[in-house]
Structure formats: structure tokens, C-alpha cells
Amino acid sequence: MTISEVSEKFDISQDTLRYYERIGLIPRVNRNKSGMRDYTEEDCNWVEFIKCMRGAGLPIEVLIEYVGLFQQGAETVEARKGLLIEQRKQLIARMEDMKKTLERLEYKIARYEQAVVVKEKELKKSEN
Amino acid sequence: MTISEVSEKFDISQDTLRYYERIGLIPRVNRNKSGMRDYTEEDCNWVEFIKCMRGAGLPIEVLIEYVGLFQQGAETVEARKGLLIEQRKQLIARMEDMKKTLERLEYKIARYEQAVVVKEKELKKSEN
DNA sequence: GCTTGAGTTGGAGTTAACTCCAGGTGTTAT
DNA sequence: ATAACACCTGGAGTTAACTCCAACTCAAGC
């Protein structure tokens, strides 16, 4: 697969794909005889995986470490697992935070409905 | 309340508090006769509100707009409500994204448990 | 054989969100 | 009244994560 196809398929710019490869966020992609990237199925899996993880806010640094460990082979299985467990923990924490914020937003929106119903009677300032 | 107290209370650096005020992310805080910030209860509510919203990833730009609308008074109630509803939508979308990623992490971790049990039998590369 | 277009590299520039700093003022303790 | 300290302002610097660019190569079409 060419870089433009991968870019299209996963909706990631070519610049970003090259950048990810450069910093080791995805393993190095093979080039064809004329020097152009030729993404294998596995390369695509990495791109998709990274996109997903980045989307959930896992830091690039951590993902680079994961990829690095992966490339070092089977003896890093424990380390990789530990890394994933830590990231799961943090992800859950972020989600809980967001849930609280969501509830707060819901509450505020409900108050605004209220306010509109009562002809925009002023909302108490102390509640923003 | 002094800036150091507010900083302590909400675990936000003084620099960040000043920065937030400078860009209009919180309304302007009154100064005492010697020019130092004196945070009222309401100022604190804003700080806490903004911290919460930022923590859930609402962009600063949007929050600045919200604060701006708030300061323009009752005629912006509808606009504020619309803004909050939009942010709620986006927050829910982000949370759903994260939930999918979490499931994926869970799955990977389970696979690693598996791998460890079978004495680190190699994980298929195509599954990262 | 020349242009066009997709791709290459290394490096510079950008954006968001802080974070730090220099030089100054006002209050408090010795 | 001198030092120490908390805080002030405007502006510069930093970090993460891209994003853009110049100068080049290669293959395809006319």
C-alpha cells in the first residue's frame, strides 16, 4: 500500500505518518526499489492501533516505548503487559473524570432549561 | 483569598491562574489597595469550574467564549446553553471513543495474560 | 526528452497551553 | 531602614504534537 492510500484509509496526513515513523511510534516501513514506502498489512495494523490509542489520549512517549519493547521480542512481554495495565488505569481515571464533568454539564444545561422556562430569570452568579 | 491560597486549594500554579485571567478564561479578579489579587468566593467557583472543564478536555477557546457570554448578561443565556450542549455532545463522543480503546486495551492485556500462561508462546505479530 | 505528479529527506515553523523570568512594588520582620 | 518575602506586569521561553517546506528523485504520459 502506498502512503497516500494509508493516509486516506486511516484519515491521517502523510506528514503525520512520516512523523510517526521518524520518531519510532510505528516500526520502520519498507521502501520499494525506488525508495517509496510500501505499507504491509502489519504496518497498517500498527497505524490503526496507534491512531486508536492516541485518540484516547495515551501519550506518544509511552506508545514509542511500547513499540520499542515489541521490537525487542518475546523477553519484553511482561514489560509490555505492565505498560498496558498502567495505561488502562490512567484511561479509566480520565474517563471517570470526564463522567463527573459530563454530569456537571448536564446539570448546568438543565438549569439553563429552567432559566429559559422562567423567562430568563437571572441565574445566580455564584453558579456561573 | 490570596493567589497562593487559591493555587494551593485547586492545585493550579500561580502562573497558570494569572494566565487564565489574562486570556479571559476566568473573569478579572479584583486587586486590594496594594495591587494584589483578592479572590472572592465567586472567583474561586470560576477557577474550580474551569479546572474541571479543562480536565475533561474542553478547549480553552470555547471556555473563553463561555465566560465572555456570561459577562454579557442575561441576553446570552440561549447562546451559553447552546455552547454547553455542543460541548456535552463532543464530550460524550470522546468518552465513547475512549470506551472502545479501553476495551481494546483489556483485550490486549488478556492476550498477554494468555501468553504468559503458555510460557510466552509468541504473540502473532499481526496483532501487535 | 520534458513535464507532471507522487513520493523522498532533513529541518524549520506552528499551535495550544502553559511556564518562566526580569525588573519592580508593597508589607513584614529584625 | 534594610532584608526578606509575596506578589505584580509584560514578555520571552518551553513542550508536545504535529505541519510545512525546499530541494530532490523517480516513473509515467505526451
Side-chain angles (χ1 to χ4, degrees), chain B residues 5-120:
Chain B
E5 285 164 346
V6 175
S7 170
E8 179 91 3
K9 180 164 183 185
F10 298 111
D11 192 33
I12 302 181
S13 83
Q14 296 187 22
D15 268 314
T16 300
L17 285 169
R18 281 189 284 256
Y19 165 71
Y20 280 178
E21 186 178 342
R22 189 151 44 165
I23 64 174
L25 187 47
I26 55 173
R28 192 152 181 76
V29 175
N30 280 337
R31 315 298 146 116
N32 62 23
K33 53 276 162 210
S34 49
M36 291 175 187
R37 285 172 181 78
D38 185 13
Y39 290 80
T40 64
E41 178 97 27
E42 193 189 330
D43 292 327
C44 288
N45 289 340
W46 274 108
V47 169
E48 197 269 325
F49 171 65
I50 290 298
K51 182 182 181 175
C52 176
M53 295 299 139
R54 286 290 302 127
L58 300 236
I60 280 192
E61 210 178 68
V62 171
L63 294 170
I64 289 174
E65 199 192 335
Y66 180 77
V67 174
L69 287 170
F70 190 88
Q71 292 180 313
Q72 284 166 53
E75 78 263 32
T76 67
V77 163
E78 269 305 315
R80 276 181 268 162
K81 188 180 136 196
L83 184 152
L84 294 183
I85 287 172
E86 172 63 21
Q87 292 309 308
R88 172 177 60 179
K89 197 181 100 191
Q90 305 218 0
L91 183 51
I92 290 170
R94 278 201 300 280
M95 286 175 75
E96 275 164 6
D97 245 48
M98 288 167 87
K99 196 166 158 248
K100 284 200 194 98
T101 303
L102 179 57
E103 280 159 14
R104 191 157 175 178
L105 268 181
E106 301 280 16
Y107 176 75
K108 277 178 129 29
I109 288 167
R111 298 253 321 138
Y112 274 114
E113 307 275 8
Q114 212 48 35
V116 171
V117 167
V118 299
K119 302 245 155 85
E120 307 199 352

Side-chain angles (χ1 to χ4, degrees), chain A residues 53-80:
Chain A
M53 295 300 138
R54 286 291 301 127
L58 301 235
I60 278 191
E61 211 177 68
V62 171
L63 294 170
I64 288 175
E65 199 192 333
Y66 180 76
V67 175
L69 288 171
F70 191 88
Q71 290 179 313
Q72 285 166 51
E75 77 263 34
T76 66
V77 163
E78 270 305 314
R80 275 181 268 161

